[in-house]
Amino acid sequence: QVLLVESGGGLVQAGGSLRLSCVFSGSSFNNYAMGWFRQAPGKEREFVATISWSGGGTYYADSVKGRFTISRDNAKNTVYLQMSSLKREDTAVYFCAAAHRGFSTTVLSTTAGYAYWGQGTQVTVSS
């Protein structure tokens, strides 16, 4: 059974940085593309970034492009989200998710593309 555990969230001032981590277990990590999503209070869960199984392909939401970087370490079964130049509107619960290999970027930018989800980690950006 696949298990995803996020960490690294917290309170940060606007303009600051945070790095989120998500540890994968229960299957072969390199069989999965990985993604990060976020959900603010009263809003739907939205796509943030995705990375291919090899790490060779990445794709970002326009709202985070140039500020966030997704990466993975297949030796450590871990995916990361480096967040810089944080804004108040980045405040949300951040979720990592795992998708079986073979889906397009279009599918991987939606929640429907993912089979497994973590429990989320809170990121709060203060002004």
Side-chain angles (χ1 to χ4, degrees):
Q1 180 178 349
V2 171
L3 181 64
L4 303 173
V5 180
E6 302 99 332
S7 62
L11 175 65
V12 62
Q13 287 192 331
S17 299
L18 275 178
R19 188 177 81 156
L20 306 183
S21 300
C22 173
V23 178
F24 175 105
S25 63
S27 187
S28 297
F29 185 54
N30 60 9
N31 281 342
Y32 294 84
M34 299 296 295
W36 285 96
F37 287 74
R38 66 187 182 186
Q39 189 166 19
K43 295 188 177 181
E44 293 187 352
R45 192 167 299 188
E46 67 171 1
F47 169 74
V48 174
T50 187
I51 188 166
S52 64
W53 68 271
S54 67
T58 58
Y59 181 70
Y60 298 89
D62 288 343
S63 59
V64 307
K65 203 172 296 182
R67 299 189 299 121
F68 291 11
T69 301
I70 188 171
S71 62
R72 66 190 292 161
D73 185 337
N74 284 357
K76 295 183 178 180
N77 287 2
T78 302
V79 61
Y80 304 96
L81 185 68
Q82 177 68 47
M83 305 184 293
S84 302
S85 302
L86 282 162
K87 306 175 182 179
R88 286 192 64 184
E89 51 263 43
D90 295 318
T91 295
V93 177
Y94 282 71
F95 299 88
C96 74
H100 294 286
R101 288 169 62 176
F103 288 118
S104 68
T105 297
T106 300
V107 173
L108 292 176
S109 64
T110 69
T111 58
Y114 295 83
Y116 304 101
W117 293 84
Q119 82 290 347
T121 186
Q122 175 71 47
V123 172
T124 303
V125 183
S126 64
S127 58

PDB file of all heavy atoms in Angstrom, residues 14-55:
ATOM      1  N   ALA A  14       6.127  36.866   4.136  1.00  0.00           N
ATOM      2  CA  ALA A  14       6.092  37.089   2.696  1.00  0.00           C
ATOM      3  C   ALA A  14       7.496  37.409   2.188  1.00  0.00           C
ATOM      4  O   ALA A  14       8.242  38.157   2.828  1.00  0.00           O
ATOM      5  CB  ALA A  14       5.136  38.222   2.361  1.00  0.00           C
ATOM      6  N   GLY A  15       7.825  36.824   1.050  1.00  0.00           N
ATOM      7  CA  GLY A  15       9.158  36.979   0.494  1.00  0.00           C
ATOM      8  C   GLY A  15      10.126  35.895   0.924  1.00  0.00           C
ATOM      9  O   GLY A  15      11.221  35.779   0.362  1.00  0.00           O
ATOM     10  N   GLY A  16       9.742  35.110   1.897  1.00  0.00           N
ATOM     11  CA  GLY A  16      10.600  34.050   2.408  1.00  0.00           C
ATOM     12  C   GLY A  16      10.506  32.765   1.607  1.00  0.00           C
ATOM     13  O   GLY A  16       9.847  32.708   0.554  1.00  0.00           O
ATOM     14  N   SER A  17      11.166  31.725   2.136  1.00  0.00           N
ATOM     15  CA  SER A  17      11.251  30.448   1.449  1.00  0.00           C
ATOM     16  C   SER A  17      10.930  29.299   2.396  1.00  0.00           C
ATOM     17  O   SER A  17      11.113  29.409   3.616  1.00  0.00           O
ATOM     18  CB  SER A  17      12.657  30.243   0.880  1.00  0.00           C
ATOM     19  OG  SER A  17      12.991  31.249  -0.050  1.00  0.00           O
ATOM     20  N   LEU A  18      10.467  28.222   1.811  1.00  0.00           N
ATOM     21  CA  LEU A  18      10.248  26.968   2.520  1.00  0.00           C
ATOM     22  C   LEU A  18      10.526  25.829   1.564  1.00  0.00           C
ATOM     23  O   LEU A  18      10.318  25.979   0.348  1.00  0.00           O
ATOM     24  CB  LEU A  18       8.800  26.844   3.013  1.00  0.00           C
ATOM     25  CG  LEU A  18       8.379  27.460   4.334  1.00  0.00           C
ATOM     26  CD1 LEU A  18       6.883  27.237   4.546  1.00  0.00           C
ATOM     27  CD2 LEU A  18       9.183  26.930   5.494  1.00  0.00           C
ATOM     28  N   ARG A  19      10.941  24.682   2.108  1.00  0.00           N
ATOM     29  CA  ARG A  19      11.069  23.485   1.295  1.00  0.00           C
ATOM     30  C   ARG A  19      10.202  22.388   1.893  1.00  0.00           C
ATOM     31  O   ARG A  19      10.390  22.003   3.049  1.00  0.00           O
ATOM     32  CB  ARG A  19      12.511  22.997   1.193  1.00  0.00           C
ATOM     33  CG  ARG A  19      12.648  21.862   0.172  1.00  0.00           C
ATOM     34  CD  ARG A  19      14.067  21.395  -0.022  1.00  0.00           C
ATOM     35  NE  ARG A  19      14.491  20.476   1.014  1.00  0.00           N
ATOM     36  CZ  ARG A  19      15.467  19.589   0.874  1.00  0.00           C
ATOM     37  NH1 ARG A  19      16.114  19.502  -0.290  1.00  0.00           N
ATOM     38  NH2 ARG A  19      15.825  18.809   1.871  1.00  0.00           N
ATOM     39  N   LEU A  20       9.270  21.908   1.098  1.00  0.00           N
ATOM     40  CA  LEU A  20       8.434  20.794   1.497  1.00  0.00           C
ATOM     41  C   LEU A  20       9.052  19.490   1.016  1.00  0.00           C
ATOM     42  O   LEU A  20       9.659  19.441  -0.046  1.00  0.00           O
ATOM     43  CB  LEU A  20       7.032  20.935   0.913  1.00  0.00           C
ATOM     44  CG  LEU A  20       6.293  22.247   1.193  1.00  0.00           C
ATOM     45  CD1 LEU A  20       4.882  22.183   0.593  1.00  0.00           C
ATOM     46  CD2 LEU A  20       6.248  22.546   2.664  1.00  0.00           C
ATOM     47  N   SER A  21       8.853  18.441   1.805  1.00  0.00           N
ATOM     48  CA  SER A  21       9.314  17.107   1.435  1.00  0.00           C
ATOM     49  C   SER A  21       8.141  16.147   1.505  1.00  0.00           C
ATOM     50  O   SER A  21       7.210  16.335   2.293  1.00  0.00           O
ATOM     51  CB  SER A  21      10.410  16.627   2.387  1.00  0.00           C
ATOM     52  OG  SER A  21      11.525  17.487   2.373  1.00  0.00           O
ATOM     53  N   CYS A  22       8.216  15.112   0.713  1.00  0.00           N
ATOM     54  CA  CYS A  22       7.188  14.068   0.722  1.00  0.00           C
ATOM     55  C   CYS A  22       7.904  12.729   0.536  1.00  0.00           C
ATOM     56  O   CYS A  22       8.527  12.499  -0.505  1.00  0.00           O
ATOM     57  CB  CYS A  22       6.179  14.303  -0.385  1.00  0.00           C
ATOM     58  SG  CYS A  22       4.979  12.965  -0.600  1.00  0.00           S
ATOM     59  N   VAL A  23       7.791  11.891   1.545  1.00  0.00           N
ATOM     60  CA  VAL A  23       8.424  10.575   1.492  1.00  0.00           C
ATOM     61  C   VAL A  23       7.405   9.539   1.039  1.00  0.00           C
ATOM     62  O   VAL A  23       6.293   9.465   1.579  1.00  0.00           O
ATOM     63  CB  VAL A  23       9.004  10.191   2.862  1.00  0.00           C
ATOM     64  CG1 VAL A  23       9.611   8.790   2.800  1.00  0.00           C
ATOM     65  CG2 VAL A  23      10.058  11.202   3.295  1.00  0.00           C
ATOM     66  N   PHE A  24       7.802   8.749   0.067  1.00  0.00           N
ATOM     67  CA  PHE A  24       6.956   7.724  -0.558  1.00  0.00           C
ATOM     68  C   PHE A  24       7.382   6.357  -0.049  1.00  0.00           C
ATOM     69  O   PHE A  24       8.581   6.064   0.049  1.00  0.00           O
ATOM     70  CB  PHE A  24       7.153   7.828  -2.070  1.00  0.00           C
ATOM     71  CG  PHE A  24       6.479   6.792  -2.910  1.00  0.00           C
ATOM     72  CD1 PHE A  24       5.352   7.108  -3.641  1.00  0.00           C
ATOM     73  CD2 PHE A  24       7.007   5.507  -3.029  1.00  0.00           C
ATOM     74  CE1 PHE A  24       4.733   6.166  -4.460  1.00  0.00           C
ATOM     75  CE2 PHE A  24       6.401   4.553  -3.835  1.00  0.00           C
ATOM     76  CZ  PHE A  24       5.264   4.890  -4.554  1.00  0.00           C
ATOM     77  N   SER A  25       6.415   5.498   0.238  1.00  0.00           N
ATOM     78  CA  SER A  25       6.723   4.122   0.624  1.00  0.00           C
ATOM     79  C   SER A  25       5.615   3.202   0.158  1.00  0.00           C
ATOM     80  O   SER A  25       4.510   3.647  -0.172  1.00  0.00           O
ATOM     81  CB  SER A  25       6.912   4.011   2.139  1.00  0.00           C
ATOM     82  OG  SER A  25       5.717   4.346   2.814  1.00  0.00           O
ATOM     83  N   GLY A  26       5.921   1.907   0.100  1.00  0.00           N
ATOM     84  CA  GLY A  26       4.917   0.912  -0.217  1.00  0.00           C
ATOM     85  C   GLY A  26       4.911   0.398  -1.638  1.00  0.00           C
ATOM     86  O   GLY A  26       4.135  -0.495  -1.960  1.00  0.00           O
ATOM     87  N   SER A  27       5.746   0.936  -2.480  1.00  0.00           N
ATOM     88  CA  SER A  27       5.833   0.479  -3.868  1.00  0.00           C
ATOM     89  C   SER A  27       7.139   1.009  -4.457  1.00  0.00           C
ATOM     90  O   SER A  27       7.983   1.551  -3.734  1.00  0.00           O
ATOM     91  CB  SER A  27       4.631   0.974  -4.661  1.00  0.00           C
ATOM     92  OG  SER A  27       4.615   0.412  -5.968  1.00  0.00           O
ATOM     93  N   SER A  28       7.317   0.838  -5.761  1.00  0.00           N
ATOM     94  CA  SER A  28       8.535   1.327  -6.418  1.00  0.00           C
ATOM     95  C   SER A  28       8.357   2.783  -6.815  1.00  0.00           C
ATOM     96  O   SER A  28       7.568   3.103  -7.707  1.00  0.00           O
ATOM     97  CB  SER A  28       8.826   0.480  -7.651  1.00  0.00           C
ATOM     98  OG  SER A  28       9.089  -0.853  -7.291  1.00  0.00           O
ATOM     99  N   PHE A  29       9.076   3.643  -6.150  1.00  0.00           N
ATOM    100  CA  PHE A  29       8.929   5.086  -6.335  1.00  0.00           C
ATOM    101  C   PHE A  29       9.100   5.502  -7.790  1.00  0.00           C
ATOM    102  O   PHE A  29       8.376   6.371  -8.300  1.00  0.00           O
ATOM    103  CB  PHE A  29       9.939   5.805  -5.443  1.00  0.00           C
ATOM    104  CG  PHE A  29       9.835   7.305  -5.436  1.00  0.00           C
ATOM    105  CD1 PHE A  29       8.632   7.930  -5.144  1.00  0.00           C
ATOM    106  CD2 PHE A  29      10.954   8.084  -5.670  1.00  0.00           C
ATOM    107  CE1 PHE A  29       8.542   9.311  -5.107  1.00  0.00           C
ATOM    108  CE2 PHE A  29      10.886   9.467  -5.637  1.00  0.00           C
ATOM    109  CZ  PHE A  29       9.671  10.083  -5.354  1.00  0.00           C
ATOM    110  N   ASN A  30      10.055   4.887  -8.487  1.00  0.00           N
ATOM    111  CA  ASN A  30      10.317   5.319  -9.859  1.00  0.00           C
ATOM    112  C   ASN A  30       9.306   4.795 -10.873  1.00  0.00           C
ATOM    113  O   ASN A  30       9.491   4.925 -12.067  1.00  0.00           O
ATOM    114  CB  ASN A  30      11.755   5.019 -10.280  1.00  0.00           C
ATOM    115  CG  ASN A  30      12.066   3.549 -10.211  1.00  0.00           C
ATOM    116  OD1 ASN A  30      11.179   2.725 -10.010  1.00  0.00           O
ATOM    117  ND2 ASN A  30      13.324   3.187 -10.369  1.00  0.00           N
ATOM    118  N   ASN A  31       8.235   4.180 -10.381  1.00  0.00           N
ATOM    119  CA  ASN A  31       7.109   3.835 -11.250  1.00  0.00           C
ATOM    120  C   ASN A  31       6.034   4.914 -11.252  1.00  0.00           C
ATOM    121  O   ASN A  31       4.993   4.742 -11.906  1.00  0.00           O
ATOM    122  CB  ASN A  31       6.471   2.522 -10.809  1.00  0.00           C
ATOM    123  CG  ASN A  31       7.270   1.318 -11.270  1.00  0.00           C
ATOM    124  OD1 ASN A  31       8.097   1.413 -12.170  1.00  0.00           O
ATOM    125  ND2 ASN A  31       7.036   0.183 -10.632  1.00  0.00           N
ATOM    126  N   TYR A  32       6.278   6.005 -10.530  1.00  0.00           N
ATOM    127  CA  TYR A  32       5.254   7.016 -10.341  1.00  0.00           C
ATOM    128  C   TYR A  32       5.742   8.415 -10.696  1.00  0.00           C
ATOM    129  O   TYR A  32       6.846   8.809 -10.301  1.00  0.00           O
ATOM    130  CB  TYR A  32       4.775   7.038  -8.890  1.00  0.00           C
ATOM    131  CG  TYR A  32       4.053   5.788  -8.473  1.00  0.00           C
ATOM    132  CD1 TYR A  32       4.757   4.670  -8.036  1.00  0.00           C
ATOM    133  CD2 TYR A  32       2.658   5.715  -8.533  1.00  0.00           C
ATOM    134  CE1 TYR A  32       4.098   3.515  -7.666  1.00  0.00           C
ATOM    135  CE2 TYR A  32       1.994   4.565  -8.158  1.00  0.00           C
ATOM    136  CZ  TYR A  32       2.720   3.467  -7.727  1.00  0.00           C
ATOM    137  OH  TYR A  32       2.062   2.331  -7.365  1.00  0.00           O
ATOM    138  N   ALA A  33       4.900   9.147 -11.393  1.00  0.00           N
ATOM    139  CA  ALA A  33       5.066  10.592 -11.459  1.00  0.00           C
ATOM    140  C   ALA A  33       4.524  11.161 -10.149  1.00  0.00           C
ATOM    141  O   ALA A  33       3.652  10.554  -9.518  1.00  0.00           O
ATOM    142  CB  ALA A  33       4.288  11.174 -12.637  1.00  0.00           C
ATOM    143  N   MET A  34       5.052  12.317  -9.758  1.00  0.00           N
ATOM    144  CA  MET A  34       4.639  12.913  -8.490  1.00  0.00           C
ATOM    145  C   MET A  34       4.149  14.333  -8.711  1.00  0.00           C
ATOM    146  O   MET A  34       4.601  15.029  -9.629  1.00  0.00           O
ATOM    147  CB  MET A  34       5.811  12.926  -7.515  1.00  0.00           C
ATOM    148  CG  MET A  34       6.363  11.550  -7.172  1.00  0.00           C
ATOM    149  SD  MET A  34       5.174  10.502  -6.316  1.00  0.00           S
ATOM    150  CE  MET A  34       4.976  11.418  -4.775  1.00  0.00           C
ATOM    151  N   GLY A  35       3.245  14.747  -7.861  1.00  0.00           N
ATOM    152  CA  GLY A  35       2.720  16.099  -7.986  1.00  0.00           C
ATOM    153  C   GLY A  35       2.517  16.749  -6.635  1.00  0.00           C
ATOM    154  O   GLY A  35       2.453  16.072  -5.604  1.00  0.00           O
ATOM    155  N   TRP A  36       2.431  18.075  -6.677  1.00  0.00           N
ATOM    156  CA  TRP A  36       2.065  18.861  -5.497  1.00  0.00           C
ATOM    157  C   TRP A  36       0.802  19.650  -5.841  1.00  0.00           C
ATOM    158  O   TRP A  36       0.697  20.245  -6.930  1.00  0.00           O
ATOM    159  CB  TRP A  36       3.174  19.830  -5.107  1.00  0.00           C
ATOM    160  CG  TRP A  36       4.349  19.199  -4.437  1.00  0.00           C
ATOM    161  CD1 TRP A  36       5.523  18.808  -5.017  1.00  0.00           C
ATOM    162  CD2 TRP A  36       4.470  18.870  -3.053  1.00  0.00           C
ATOM    163  NE1 TRP A  36       6.361  18.268  -4.087  1.00  0.00           N
ATOM    164  CE2 TRP A  36       5.745  18.297  -2.856  1.00  0.00           C
ATOM    165  CE3 TRP A  36       3.634  19.018  -1.934  1.00  0.00           C
ATOM    166  CZ2 TRP A  36       6.202  17.858  -1.616  1.00  0.00           C
ATOM    167  CZ3 TRP A  36       4.086  18.582  -0.696  1.00  0.00           C
ATOM    168  CH2 TRP A  36       5.358  18.010  -0.546  1.00  0.00           C
ATOM    169  N   PHE A  37      -0.119  19.646  -4.900  1.00  0.00           N
ATOM    170  CA  PHE A  37      -1.348  20.423  -4.997  1.00  0.00           C
ATOM    171  C   PHE A  37      -1.490  21.232  -3.718  1.00  0.00           C
ATOM    172  O   PHE A  37      -0.802  20.967  -2.726  1.00  0.00           O
ATOM    173  CB  PHE A  37      -2.559  19.494  -5.161  1.00  0.00           C
ATOM    174  CG  PHE A  37      -2.661  18.854  -6.516  1.00  0.00           C
ATOM    175  CD1 PHE A  37      -1.808  17.829  -6.890  1.00  0.00           C
ATOM    176  CD2 PHE A  37      -3.615  19.278  -7.429  1.00  0.00           C
ATOM    177  CE1 PHE A  37      -1.892  17.233  -8.153  1.00  0.00           C
ATOM    178  CE2 PHE A  37      -3.723  18.695  -8.686  1.00  0.00           C
ATOM    179  CZ  PHE A  37      -2.856  17.684  -9.037  1.00  0.00           C
ATOM    180  N   ARG A  38      -2.396  22.193  -3.739  1.00  0.00           N
ATOM    181  CA  ARG A  38      -2.669  22.960  -2.524  1.00  0.00           C
ATOM    182  C   ARG A  38      -4.142  23.293  -2.444  1.00  0.00           C
ATOM    183  O   ARG A  38      -4.839  23.348  -3.464  1.00  0.00           O
ATOM    184  CB  ARG A  38      -1.820  24.227  -2.475  1.00  0.00           C
ATOM    185  CG  ARG A  38      -2.143  25.239  -3.555  1.00  0.00           C
ATOM    186  CD  ARG A  38      -1.131  26.383  -3.520  1.00  0.00           C
ATOM    187  NE  ARG A  38      -1.413  27.413  -4.521  1.00  0.00           N
ATOM    188  CZ  ARG A  38      -0.622  28.442  -4.761  1.00  0.00           C
ATOM    189  NH1 ARG A  38       0.521  28.587  -4.077  1.00  0.00           N
ATOM    190  NH2 ARG A  38      -0.963  29.343  -5.669  1.00  0.00           N
ATOM    191  N   GLN A  39      -4.584  23.522  -1.214  1.00  0.00           N
ATOM    192  CA  GLN A  39      -5.988  23.854  -0.990  1.00  0.00           C
ATOM    193  C   GLN A  39      -6.088  24.899   0.102  1.00  0.00           C
ATOM    194  O   GLN A  39      -5.677  24.657   1.243  1.00  0.00           O
ATOM    195  CB  GLN A  39      -6.782  22.598  -0.606  1.00  0.00           C
ATOM    196  CG  GLN A  39      -8.276  22.817  -0.558  1.00  0.00           C
ATOM    197  CD  GLN A  39      -9.043  21.501  -0.517  1.00  0.00           C
ATOM    198  OE1 GLN A  39      -8.496  20.441  -0.184  1.00  0.00           O
ATOM    199  NE2 GLN A  39     -10.307  21.550  -0.857  1.00  0.00           N
ATOM    200  N   ALA A  40      -6.597  26.055  -0.264  1.00  0.00           N
ATOM    201  CA  ALA A  40      -6.836  27.133   0.687  1.00  0.00           C
ATOM    202  C   ALA A  40      -8.248  26.991   1.252  1.00  0.00           C
ATOM    203  O   ALA A  40      -9.113  26.362   0.619  1.00  0.00           O
ATOM    204  CB  ALA A  40      -6.665  28.478  -0.009  1.00  0.00           C
ATOM    205  N   PRO A  41      -8.498  27.577   2.420  1.00  0.00           N
ATOM    206  CA  PRO A  41      -9.840  27.469   3.026  1.00  0.00           C
ATOM    207  C   PRO A  41     -10.928  27.963   2.083  1.00  0.00           C
ATOM    208  O   PRO A  41     -10.824  29.046   1.506  1.00  0.00           O
ATOM    209  CB  PRO A  41      -9.722  28.361   4.260  1.00  0.00           C
ATOM    210  CG  PRO A  41      -8.278  28.345   4.598  1.00  0.00           C
ATOM    211  CD  PRO A  41      -7.556  28.289   3.286  1.00  0.00           C
ATOM    212  N   GLY A  42     -11.963  27.154   1.912  1.00  0.00           N
ATOM    213  CA  GLY A  42     -13.086  27.538   1.079  1.00  0.00           C
ATOM    214  C   GLY A  42     -12.846  27.425  -0.408  1.00  0.00           C
ATOM    215  O   GLY A  42     -13.717  27.807  -1.207  1.00  0.00           O
ATOM    216  N   LYS A  43     -11.695  26.905  -0.801  1.00  0.00           N
ATOM    217  CA  LYS A  43     -11.377  26.785  -2.222  1.00  0.00           C
ATOM    218  C   LYS A  43     -11.131  25.331  -2.602  1.00  0.00           C
ATOM    219  O   LYS A  43     -10.880  24.482  -1.751  1.00  0.00           O
ATOM    220  CB  LYS A  43     -10.149  27.624  -2.566  1.00  0.00           C
ATOM    221  CG  LYS A  43     -10.360  29.121  -2.399  1.00  0.00           C
ATOM    222  CD  LYS A  43      -9.182  29.900  -2.937  1.00  0.00           C
ATOM    223  CE  LYS A  43      -9.421  31.397  -2.850  1.00  0.00           C
ATOM    224  NZ  LYS A  43      -8.274  32.182  -3.396  1.00  0.00           N
ATOM    225  N   GLU A  44     -11.202  25.073  -3.900  1.00  0.00           N
ATOM    226  CA  GLU A  44     -10.926  23.737  -4.385  1.00  0.00           C
ATOM    227  C   GLU A  44      -9.413  23.467  -4.378  1.00  0.00           C
ATOM    228  O   GLU A  44      -8.601  24.391  -4.417  1.00  0.00           O
ATOM    229  CB  GLU A  44     -11.465  23.574  -5.810  1.00  0.00           C
ATOM    230  CG  GLU A  44     -12.979  23.608  -5.906  1.00  0.00           C
ATOM    231  CD  GLU A  44     -13.469  23.270  -7.306  1.00  0.00           C
ATOM    232  OE1 GLU A  44     -12.650  23.164  -8.226  1.00  0.00           O
ATOM    233  OE2 GLU A  44     -14.696  23.136  -7.469  1.00  0.00           O
ATOM    234  N   ARG A  45      -9.082  22.193  -4.355  1.00  0.00           N
ATOM    235  CA  ARG A  45      -7.681  21.813  -4.435  1.00  0.00           C
ATOM    236  C   ARG A  45      -7.160  22.170  -5.826  1.00  0.00           C
ATOM    237  O   ARG A  45      -7.800  21.862  -6.839  1.00  0.00           O
ATOM    238  CB  ARG A  45      -7.543  20.320  -4.177  1.00  0.00           C
ATOM    239  CG  ARG A  45      -6.128  19.850  -3.941  1.00  0.00           C
ATOM    240  CD  ARG A  45      -6.094  18.430  -3.383  1.00  0.00           C
ATOM    241  NE  ARG A  45      -6.778  18.332  -2.098  1.00  0.00           N
ATOM    242  CZ  ARG A  45      -6.750  17.238  -1.330  1.00  0.00           C
ATOM    243  NH1 ARG A  45      -6.064  16.177  -1.722  1.00  0.00           N
ATOM    244  NH2 ARG A  45      -7.405  17.215  -0.187  1.00  0.00           N
ATOM    245  N   GLU A  46      -5.992  22.813  -5.865  1.00  0.00           N
ATOM    246  CA  GLU A  46      -5.457  23.257  -7.140  1.00  0.00           C
ATOM    247  C   GLU A  46      -4.052  22.715  -7.374  1.00  0.00           C
ATOM    248  O   GLU A  46      -3.280  22.501  -6.446  1.00  0.00           O
ATOM    249  CB  GLU A  46      -5.446  24.791  -7.234  1.00  0.00           C
ATOM    250  CG  GLU A  46      -4.501  25.483  -6.297  1.00  0.00           C
ATOM    251  CD  GLU A  46      -4.380  26.977  -6.583  1.00  0.00           C
ATOM    252  OE1 GLU A  46      -5.037  27.487  -7.499  1.00  0.00           O
ATOM    253  OE2 GLU A  46      -3.590  27.632  -5.863  1.00  0.00           O
ATOM    254  N   PHE A  47      -3.761  22.533  -8.639  1.00  0.00           N
ATOM    255  CA  PHE A  47      -2.472  22.018  -9.073  1.00  0.00           C
ATOM    256  C   PHE A  47      -1.368  23.039  -8.827  1.00  0.00           C
ATOM    257  O   PHE A  47      -1.568  24.235  -9.049  1.00  0.00           O
ATOM    258  CB  PHE A  47      -2.553  21.686 -10.570  1.00  0.00           C
ATOM    259  CG  PHE A  47      -1.235  21.385 -11.212  1.00  0.00           C
ATOM    260  CD1 PHE A  47      -0.591  20.187 -10.972  1.00  0.00           C
ATOM    261  CD2 PHE A  47      -0.641  22.310 -12.057  1.00  0.00           C
ATOM    262  CE1 PHE A  47       0.621  19.915 -11.574  1.00  0.00           C
ATOM    263  CE2 PHE A  47       0.559  22.047 -12.669  1.00  0.00           C
ATOM    264  CZ  PHE A  47       1.201  20.847 -12.426  1.00  0.00           C
ATOM    265  N   VAL A  48      -0.202  22.532  -8.398  1.00  0.00           N
ATOM    266  CA  VAL A  48       0.959  23.395  -8.198  1.00  0.00           C
ATOM    267  C   VAL A  48       2.088  22.990  -9.157  1.00  0.00           C
ATOM    268  O   VAL A  48       2.583  23.818  -9.917  1.00  0.00           O
ATOM    269  CB  VAL A  48       1.454  23.318  -6.745  1.00  0.00           C
ATOM    270  CG1 VAL A  48       2.757  24.104  -6.580  1.00  0.00           C
ATOM    271  CG2 VAL A  48       0.386  23.832  -5.778  1.00  0.00           C
ATOM    272  N   ALA A  49       2.483  21.718  -9.106  1.00  0.00           N
ATOM    273  CA  ALA A  49       3.606  21.268  -9.931  1.00  0.00           C
ATOM    274  C   ALA A  49       3.588  19.748 -10.048  1.00  0.00           C
ATOM    275  O   ALA A  49       3.034  19.068  -9.182  1.00  0.00           O
ATOM    276  CB  ALA A  49       4.937  21.718  -9.333  1.00  0.00           C
ATOM    277  N   THR A  50       4.211  19.249 -11.110  1.00  0.00           N
ATOM    278  CA  THR A  50       4.352  17.813 -11.270  1.00  0.00           C
ATOM    279  C   THR A  50       5.728  17.488 -11.842  1.00  0.00           C
ATOM    280  O   THR A  50       6.349  18.341 -12.494  1.00  0.00           O
ATOM    281  CB  THR A  50       3.240  17.230 -12.175  1.00  0.00           C
ATOM    282  OG1 THR A  50       3.312  15.793 -12.169  1.00  0.00           O
ATOM    283  CG2 THR A  50       3.372  17.723 -13.603  1.00  0.00           C
ATOM    284  N   ILE A  51       6.200  16.279 -11.573  1.00  0.00           N
ATOM    285  CA  ILE A  51       7.503  15.843 -12.047  1.00  0.00           C
ATOM    286  C   ILE A  51       7.387  14.402 -12.535  1.00  0.00           C
ATOM    287  O   ILE A  51       6.700  13.585 -11.924  1.00  0.00           O
ATOM    288  CB  ILE A  51       8.573  15.993 -10.939  1.00  0.00           C
ATOM    289  CG1 ILE A  51       9.979  15.719 -11.478  1.00  0.00           C
ATOM    290  CG2 ILE A  51       8.250  15.124  -9.730  1.00  0.00           C
ATOM    291  CD1 ILE A  51      11.087  16.179 -10.517  1.00  0.00           C
ATOM    292  N   SER A  52       8.066  14.105 -13.633  1.00  0.00           N
ATOM    293  CA  SER A  52       8.011  12.761 -14.199  1.00  0.00           C
ATOM    294  C   SER A  52       8.740  11.765 -13.319  1.00  0.00           C
ATOM    295  O   SER A  52       9.469  12.134 -12.403  1.00  0.00           O
ATOM    296  CB  SER A  52       8.626  12.771 -15.596  1.00  0.00           C
ATOM    297  OG  SER A  52      10.005  13.097 -15.507  1.00  0.00           O
ATOM    298  N   TRP A  53       8.567  10.484 -13.627  1.00  0.00           N
ATOM    299  CA  TRP A  53       9.167   9.443 -12.802  1.00  0.00           C
ATOM    300  C   TRP A  53      10.682   9.547 -12.741  1.00  0.00           C
ATOM    301  O   TRP A  53      11.295   9.232 -11.736  1.00  0.00           O
ATOM    302  CB  TRP A  53       8.764   8.068 -13.315  1.00  0.00           C
ATOM    303  CG  TRP A  53       9.357   7.743 -14.664  1.00  0.00           C
ATOM    304  CD1 TRP A  53       8.834   8.021 -15.894  1.00  0.00           C
ATOM    305  CD2 TRP A  53      10.612   7.102 -14.917  1.00  0.00           C
ATOM    306  NE1 TRP A  53       9.671   7.601 -16.888  1.00  0.00           N
ATOM    307  CE2 TRP A  53      10.771   7.025 -16.324  1.00  0.00           C
ATOM    308  CE3 TRP A  53      11.616   6.574 -14.103  1.00  0.00           C
ATOM    309  CZ2 TRP A  53      11.885   6.441 -16.914  1.00  0.00           C
ATOM    310  CZ3 TRP A  53      12.724   5.990 -14.697  1.00  0.00           C
ATOM    311  CH2 TRP A  53      12.852   5.934 -16.085  1.00  0.00           C
ATOM    312  N   SER A  54      11.292  10.025 -13.825  1.00  0.00           N
ATOM    313  CA  SER A  54      12.751  10.126 -13.890  1.00  0.00           C
ATOM    314  C   SER A  54      13.270  11.451 -13.346  1.00  0.00           C
ATOM    315  O   SER A  54      14.467  11.606 -13.106  1.00  0.00           O
ATOM    316  CB  SER A  54      13.205   9.988 -15.338  1.00  0.00           C
ATOM    317  OG  SER A  54      12.758  11.103 -16.098  1.00  0.00           O
ATOM    318  N   GLY A  55      12.366  12.414 -13.202  1.00  0.00           N
ATOM    319  CA  GLY A  55      12.794  13.757 -12.829  1.00  0.00           C
ATOM    320  C   GLY A  55      13.153  14.620 -14.013  1.00  0.00           C
ATOM    321  O   GLY A  55      13.454  15.810 -13.848  1.00  0.00           O
TER     322      GLY A  55
END
